[in-house]
Amino acid sequence: MQTLRKILEQAEANAVAIGHFNISELVTLKAVFEAARDLNVPVVVGTSEGERQFMGVRQVAAMVKSLREEYDFPIFLNADHTHSLLSAIEAAKAGFDWIVFDVSTLPFEENVRQTKAAVETLKALRPDILVEGEIGDIGSGSEIHDAAPDLQKGLTTPGEAKRFVDETGVDTLAPAVGNMHGMLKSMVAGSTKKRLDIERIRAIKAKARIFMTLHGASGTDDNDLREAIAAGMTVVHINTEVRLAWRRGLDAALAKQPDEIVPYKLLPQVVDSVKQVVAARLALFSTGRRARPAVQ
Ligand SMILES: [Zn+2]
């Protein structure tokens, strides 16, 4: 089995991106796994602190590990948006492959100091683990929002990205480049799309030379996603679109079989609904545009 780092290096060399999808129960895990297997592309599932608290930190790690081993398939697990070192250590000990250590709401210097300490502690515990840091403001909550936050002031600059990467020793970086968590109602309706600052992505990549993760990509214009990947994004996070598909699939299943009480007769429709969204996103992420310089 290839390591997650190798998978990222290959994605980088091929100018494609790895899809990352959040889960908080077995139905979505099944859907993500089946979609990735159908397309034969590596995949990452993520759980935020709330999501993994619901599933159980060790329990979700055991489920993902069992799929990886039984099917000999590159599915990896990320501890998404981990806000404390204690919670990061818990995930590392449970066997997570990757930790997003997110103290991005703190002032820059304090973010650098705490992220550096987290990298050192986590690598001492598990030398193979990847650690991601985050700078800038991309909002919070993979939900449906009434209004867009003002993200303009929190955009990442190439200079601070380089400093952050050099000083903290993170493996991957989550910058703010026009992306945001959650979707607006108009995005759910399909009448508006998120737009990305492609030149900023290119400039950050050229300066910081690191694997970059695009968070909050649900509802983003398809072509902007292609351009963002070509400009240097190696991983793309999708959560809200998955949650929306989950809810719509569940509503449809209940409406179609109002008297059914057997979970495994209702839930396959939810798996299908989520799987369609995941498959479409994975297909888009794995179509490379052009070669780009490898991470140094
Ligand atoms: Zn995120």
Side-chain angles (χ1 to χ4, degrees):
M1 178 60 60
Q2 288 195 312
T3 61
L4 178 56
R5 183 181 293 279
K6 262 271 172 282
I7 298 280
L8 294 183
E9 283 168 4
Q10 275 168 7
E12 192 73 33
N14 298 333
V16 297
I18 307 297
H20 172 294
F21 304 90
N22 288 70
I23 61 166
S24 53
E25 38 66 56
L26 182 63
V27 166
T28 308
L29 174 59
K30 261 176 88 74
V32 171
F33 182 61
E34 287 178 13
R37 275 192 90 205
D38 287 352
L39 287 162
N40 199 24
V41 292
V43 76
V44 180
V45 288
T47 54
S48 66
E49 288 180 324
E51 287 162 338
R52 60 188 189 260
Q53 194 180 3
F54 179 73
M55 293 185 86
V57 176
R58 290 177 59 194
Q59 286 66 38
V60 65
M63 276 197 276
V64 173
K65 182 168 180 256
S66 72
L67 288 171
R68 178 157 63 192
E69 288 178 355
E70 183 173 344
Y71 296 88
D72 191 27
F73 190 85
I75 179 169
F76 299 93
L77 180 60
N78 176 38
D80 207 9
H81 297 289
T82 303
H83 301 293
S84 75
L85 186 54
L86 215 61
S87 163
I89 290 169
E90 187 187 16
K93 284 185 173 166
F96 279 59
D97 303 290
W98 198 356
I99 311 276
V100 175
F101 187 75
D102 176 10
V103 288
S104 59
T105 54
L106 295 175
F108 183 79
E109 300 297 334
E110 189 57 21
N111 184 358
V112 168
R113 197 186 68 74
Q114 289 196 22
T115 304
K116 180 176 193 282
V119 170
E120 284 166 2
T121 305
L122 293 168
K123 298 266 181 185
L125 200 64
R126 287 258 319 275
D128 58 321
I129 207 163
L130 298 189
V131 183
E132 178 163 312
E134 180 170 327
I135 39 173
D137 181 11
I138 49 180
S140 66
S142 296
E143 295 162 36
I144 297 163
H145 304 299
D146 287 322
D150 179 15
L151 301 172
Q152 285 307 310
K153 277 185 256 144
L155 293 172
T156 303
T157 66
E160 67 186 2
K162 177 161 175 45
R163 249 198 75 200
F164 185 82
V165 167
D166 288 350
E167 291 181 23
T168 60
V170 290
D171 302 289
T172 64
L173 175 71
V177 290
N179 48 327
M180 70 163 220
H181 287 114
M183 286 168 79
L184 302 179
K185 283 181 176 155
S186 57
M187 293 169 183
V188 174
S191 55
T192 64
K193 298 277 183 195
K194 286 178 201 168
R195 302 303 308 267
L196 301 170
D197 189 339
I198 305 297
E199 282 317 309
R200 186 179 295 272
I201 296 170
R202 213 186 310 280
I204 295 170
K205 184 74 171 189
K207 190 110 180 167
R209 293 259 163 188
I210 189 168
F211 296 123
M212 294 206 298
T213 301
L214 183 68
H215 280 250
S218 289
T220 305
D221 177 76
D222 282 2
N223 203 47
D224 275 18
L225 284 174
R226 288 187 197 100
E227 294 286 341
I229 294 164
M233 286 293 175
T234 316
V235 181
V236 181
H237 280 219
I238 299 282
N239 190 355
T240 313
E241 286 179 8
V242 165
R243 290 177 167 180
L244 201 58
W246 178 89
R247 174 59 193 258
R248 285 175 175 164
L250 185 60
D251 283 345
L254 295 173
K256 203 166 139 192
Q257 305 169 78
D259 299 320
E260 186 57 76
I261 63 161
V262 179
Y264 65 76
K265 292 184 180 170
L266 286 163
L267 295 175
Q269 204 170 332
V270 189
V271 173
D272 284 345
S273 176
V274 173
K275 200 174 157 181
Q276 277 179 31
V277 167
V278 173
R281 283 324 203 178
L282 283 176
L284 188 147
F285 301 158
S286 34
T287 313
R289 275 264 175 110
R290 59 174 176 269
R292 60 181 190 234
V295 166
Q296 284 180 335

PDB file of all heavy atoms in Angstrom, residues 1 41 52 75 86 88 92 115 147 159 183 211 220 228 250 265 267 278:
ATOM      1  N   MET A   1       0.839  -1.205   0.000  1.00  0.00           N
ATOM      2  CA  MET A   1       0.000   0.000   0.000  1.00  0.00           C
ATOM      3  C   MET A   1       0.871   1.252   0.000  1.00  0.00           C
ATOM      4  O   MET A   1       1.790   1.375   0.784  1.00  0.00           O
ATOM      5  CB  MET A   1      -0.897  -0.023   1.253  1.00  0.00           C
ATOM      6  CG  MET A   1      -1.787   1.193   1.420  1.00  0.00           C
ATOM      7  SD  MET A   1      -2.945   1.473   0.066  1.00  0.00           S
ATOM      8  CE  MET A   1      -3.881  -0.048   0.114  1.00  0.00           C
ATOM      9  N   VAL A  41      -9.583   5.734  -8.045  1.00  0.00           N
ATOM     10  CA  VAL A  41      -8.722   6.852  -7.624  1.00  0.00           C
ATOM     11  C   VAL A  41      -8.608   6.841  -6.099  1.00  0.00           C
ATOM     12  O   VAL A  41      -9.562   6.478  -5.413  1.00  0.00           O
ATOM     13  CB  VAL A  41      -9.266   8.227  -8.086  1.00  0.00           C
ATOM     14  CG1 VAL A  41      -9.176   8.361  -9.589  1.00  0.00           C
ATOM     15  CG2 VAL A  41     -10.696   8.475  -7.609  1.00  0.00           C
ATOM     16  N   ARG A  52     -16.231  13.272  14.407  1.00  0.00           N
ATOM     17  CA  ARG A  52     -15.600  12.079  14.984  1.00  0.00           C
ATOM     18  C   ARG A  52     -16.019  11.839  16.427  1.00  0.00           C
ATOM     19  O   ARG A  52     -15.944  10.721  16.915  1.00  0.00           O
ATOM     20  CB  ARG A  52     -14.084  12.092  14.809  1.00  0.00           C
ATOM     21  CG  ARG A  52     -13.321  13.224  15.419  1.00  0.00           C
ATOM     22  CD  ARG A  52     -11.858  13.138  14.946  1.00  0.00           C
ATOM     23  NE  ARG A  52     -10.986  14.042  15.632  1.00  0.00           N
ATOM     24  CZ  ARG A  52     -10.565  15.205  15.152  1.00  0.00           C
ATOM     25  NH1 ARG A  52     -10.960  15.610  13.962  1.00  0.00           N
ATOM     26  NH2 ARG A  52      -9.739  15.970  15.843  1.00  0.00           N
ATOM     27  N   ILE A  75      -7.522   4.347   0.671  1.00  0.00           N
ATOM     28  CA  ILE A  75      -8.464   5.257   1.338  1.00  0.00           C
ATOM     29  C   ILE A  75      -7.801   5.688   2.649  1.00  0.00           C
ATOM     30  O   ILE A  75      -7.266   4.852   3.376  1.00  0.00           O
ATOM     31  CB  ILE A  75      -9.848   4.618   1.562  1.00  0.00           C
ATOM     32  CG1 ILE A  75     -10.785   5.611   2.276  1.00  0.00           C
ATOM     33  CG2 ILE A  75      -9.780   3.280   2.314  1.00  0.00           C
ATOM     34  CD1 ILE A  75     -12.253   5.166   2.304  1.00  0.00           C
ATOM     35  N   LEU A  86      -4.600  18.383  22.224  1.00  0.00           N
ATOM     36  CA  LEU A  86      -5.101  17.183  22.894  1.00  0.00           C
ATOM     37  C   LEU A  86      -5.940  16.333  21.926  1.00  0.00           C
ATOM     38  O   LEU A  86      -5.778  15.115  21.832  1.00  0.00           O
ATOM     39  CB  LEU A  86      -5.965  17.612  24.095  1.00  0.00           C
ATOM     40  CG  LEU A  86      -5.894  16.711  25.314  1.00  0.00           C
ATOM     41  CD1 LEU A  86      -4.475  16.652  25.852  1.00  0.00           C
ATOM     42  CD2 LEU A  86      -6.865  17.214  26.395  1.00  0.00           C
ATOM     43  N   ALA A  88      -5.799  16.503  18.690  1.00  0.00           N
ATOM     44  CA  ALA A  88      -4.912  16.037  17.616  1.00  0.00           C
ATOM     45  C   ALA A  88      -4.166  14.774  18.049  1.00  0.00           C
ATOM     46  O   ALA A  88      -4.028  13.817  17.276  1.00  0.00           O
ATOM     47  CB  ALA A  88      -3.917  17.140  17.240  1.00  0.00           C
ATOM     48  N   ALA A  92      -4.190  11.053  16.389  1.00  0.00           N
ATOM     49  CA  ALA A  92      -2.931  10.427  15.960  1.00  0.00           C
ATOM     50  C   ALA A  92      -2.783   9.046  16.588  1.00  0.00           C
ATOM     51  O   ALA A  92      -2.404   8.081  15.922  1.00  0.00           O
ATOM     52  CB  ALA A  92      -1.748  11.320  16.331  1.00  0.00           C
ATOM     53  N   THR A 115       1.177  25.954  15.880  1.00  0.00           N
ATOM     54  CA  THR A 115       1.218  24.938  14.816  1.00  0.00           C
ATOM     55  C   THR A 115       2.578  24.243  14.806  1.00  0.00           C
ATOM     56  O   THR A 115       2.667  23.016  14.659  1.00  0.00           O
ATOM     57  CB  THR A 115       0.906  25.570  13.435  1.00  0.00           C
ATOM     58  OG1 THR A 115      -0.364  26.221  13.514  1.00  0.00           O
ATOM     59  CG2 THR A 115       0.862  24.519  12.335  1.00  0.00           C
ATOM     60  N   ALA A 147     -26.085  34.429   4.652  1.00  0.00           N
ATOM     61  CA  ALA A 147     -25.286  35.503   4.059  1.00  0.00           C
ATOM     62  C   ALA A 147     -23.819  35.091   3.982  1.00  0.00           C
ATOM     63  O   ALA A 147     -23.360  34.295   4.797  1.00  0.00           O
ATOM     64  CB  ALA A 147     -25.423  36.768   4.896  1.00  0.00           C
ATOM     65  N   GLY A 159       3.696  35.766   0.811  1.00  0.00           N
ATOM     66  CA  GLY A 159       4.756  35.989   1.794  1.00  0.00           C
ATOM     67  C   GLY A 159       4.464  35.311   3.121  1.00  0.00           C
ATOM     68  O   GLY A 159       5.311  34.619   3.688  1.00  0.00           O
ATOM     69  N   MET A 183     -22.382  26.639   2.160  1.00  0.00           N
ATOM     70  CA  MET A 183     -22.927  27.151   0.904  1.00  0.00           C
ATOM     71  C   MET A 183     -24.035  28.160   1.215  1.00  0.00           C
ATOM     72  O   MET A 183     -24.726  28.030   2.213  1.00  0.00           O
ATOM     73  CB  MET A 183     -23.532  26.002   0.073  1.00  0.00           C
ATOM     74  CG  MET A 183     -22.490  25.091  -0.573  1.00  0.00           C
ATOM     75  SD  MET A 183     -23.233  23.563  -1.234  1.00  0.00           S
ATOM     76  CE  MET A 183     -23.952  24.129  -2.771  1.00  0.00           C
ATOM     77  N   PHE A 211       2.395  21.190  -0.716  1.00  0.00           N
ATOM     78  CA  PHE A 211       1.079  20.640  -1.055  1.00  0.00           C
ATOM     79  C   PHE A 211       0.029  21.585  -0.481  1.00  0.00           C
ATOM     80  O   PHE A 211       0.128  21.993   0.682  1.00  0.00           O
ATOM     81  CB  PHE A 211       0.884  19.271  -0.400  1.00  0.00           C
ATOM     82  CG  PHE A 211       1.832  18.208  -0.876  1.00  0.00           C
ATOM     83  CD1 PHE A 211       2.630  17.534   0.022  1.00  0.00           C
ATOM     84  CD2 PHE A 211       1.907  17.866  -2.221  1.00  0.00           C
ATOM     85  CE1 PHE A 211       3.489  16.530  -0.395  1.00  0.00           C
ATOM     86  CE2 PHE A 211       2.768  16.867  -2.653  1.00  0.00           C
ATOM     87  CZ  PHE A 211       3.568  16.196  -1.740  1.00  0.00           C
ATOM     88  N   THR A 220     -18.501  25.436  -5.723  1.00  0.00           N
ATOM     89  CA  THR A 220     -17.536  26.218  -6.516  1.00  0.00           C
ATOM     90  C   THR A 220     -17.728  25.944  -8.006  1.00  0.00           C
ATOM     91  O   THR A 220     -18.034  24.825  -8.404  1.00  0.00           O
ATOM     92  CB  THR A 220     -16.082  25.847  -6.114  1.00  0.00           C
ATOM     93  OG1 THR A 220     -15.943  26.035  -4.710  1.00  0.00           O
ATOM     94  CG2 THR A 220     -15.059  26.708  -6.836  1.00  0.00           C
ATOM     95  N   ALA A 228      -7.865  25.890 -10.359  1.00  0.00           N
ATOM     96  CA  ALA A 228      -7.214  25.880  -9.039  1.00  0.00           C
ATOM     97  C   ALA A 228      -6.288  24.678  -8.916  1.00  0.00           C
ATOM     98  O   ALA A 228      -5.191  24.778  -8.366  1.00  0.00           O
ATOM     99  CB  ALA A 228      -8.267  25.855  -7.937  1.00  0.00           C
ATOM    100  N   LEU A 250     -32.225  10.914   1.725  1.00  0.00           N
ATOM    101  CA  LEU A 250     -33.028  10.422   2.848  1.00  0.00           C
ATOM    102  C   LEU A 250     -34.484  10.863   2.702  1.00  0.00           C
ATOM    103  O   LEU A 250     -35.408  10.059   2.876  1.00  0.00           O
ATOM    104  CB  LEU A 250     -32.440  10.941   4.168  1.00  0.00           C
ATOM    105  CG  LEU A 250     -33.087  10.426   5.446  1.00  0.00           C
ATOM    106  CD1 LEU A 250     -32.986   8.903   5.537  1.00  0.00           C
ATOM    107  CD2 LEU A 250     -32.436  11.062   6.670  1.00  0.00           C
ATOM    108  N   LYS A 265     -33.026  -1.185   4.076  1.00  0.00           N
ATOM    109  CA  LYS A 265     -33.859  -1.084   2.865  1.00  0.00           C
ATOM    110  C   LYS A 265     -34.086   0.381   2.473  1.00  0.00           C
ATOM    111  O   LYS A 265     -34.395   0.678   1.326  1.00  0.00           O
ATOM    112  CB  LYS A 265     -35.189  -1.794   3.095  1.00  0.00           C
ATOM    113  CG  LYS A 265     -35.006  -3.299   3.211  1.00  0.00           C
ATOM    114  CD  LYS A 265     -36.310  -4.030   3.343  1.00  0.00           C
ATOM    115  CE  LYS A 265     -36.053  -5.533   3.459  1.00  0.00           C
ATOM    116  NZ  LYS A 265     -37.275  -6.281   3.820  1.00  0.00           N
ATOM    117  N   LEU A 267     -31.725   2.984   3.419  1.00  0.00           N
ATOM    118  CA  LEU A 267     -30.465   3.728   3.289  1.00  0.00           C
ATOM    119  C   LEU A 267     -29.710   3.551   1.965  1.00  0.00           C
ATOM    120  O   LEU A 267     -28.942   4.443   1.596  1.00  0.00           O
ATOM    121  CB  LEU A 267     -29.551   3.437   4.488  1.00  0.00           C
ATOM    122  CG  LEU A 267     -30.133   3.938   5.824  1.00  0.00           C
ATOM    123  CD1 LEU A 267     -29.249   3.520   7.000  1.00  0.00           C
ATOM    124  CD2 LEU A 267     -30.317   5.449   5.823  1.00  0.00           C
ATOM    125  N   VAL A 278     -20.216  12.486  -5.103  1.00  0.00           N
ATOM    126  CA  VAL A 278     -18.799  12.180  -4.897  1.00  0.00           C
ATOM    127  C   VAL A 278     -18.146  11.758  -6.215  1.00  0.00           C
ATOM    128  O   VAL A 278     -17.048  12.214  -6.558  1.00  0.00           O
ATOM    129  CB  VAL A 278     -18.629  11.083  -3.817  1.00  0.00           C
ATOM    130  CG1 VAL A 278     -17.171  10.625  -3.725  1.00  0.00           C
ATOM    131  CG2 VAL A 278     -19.111  11.592  -2.456  1.00  0.00           C
TER     132      VAL A 278
END
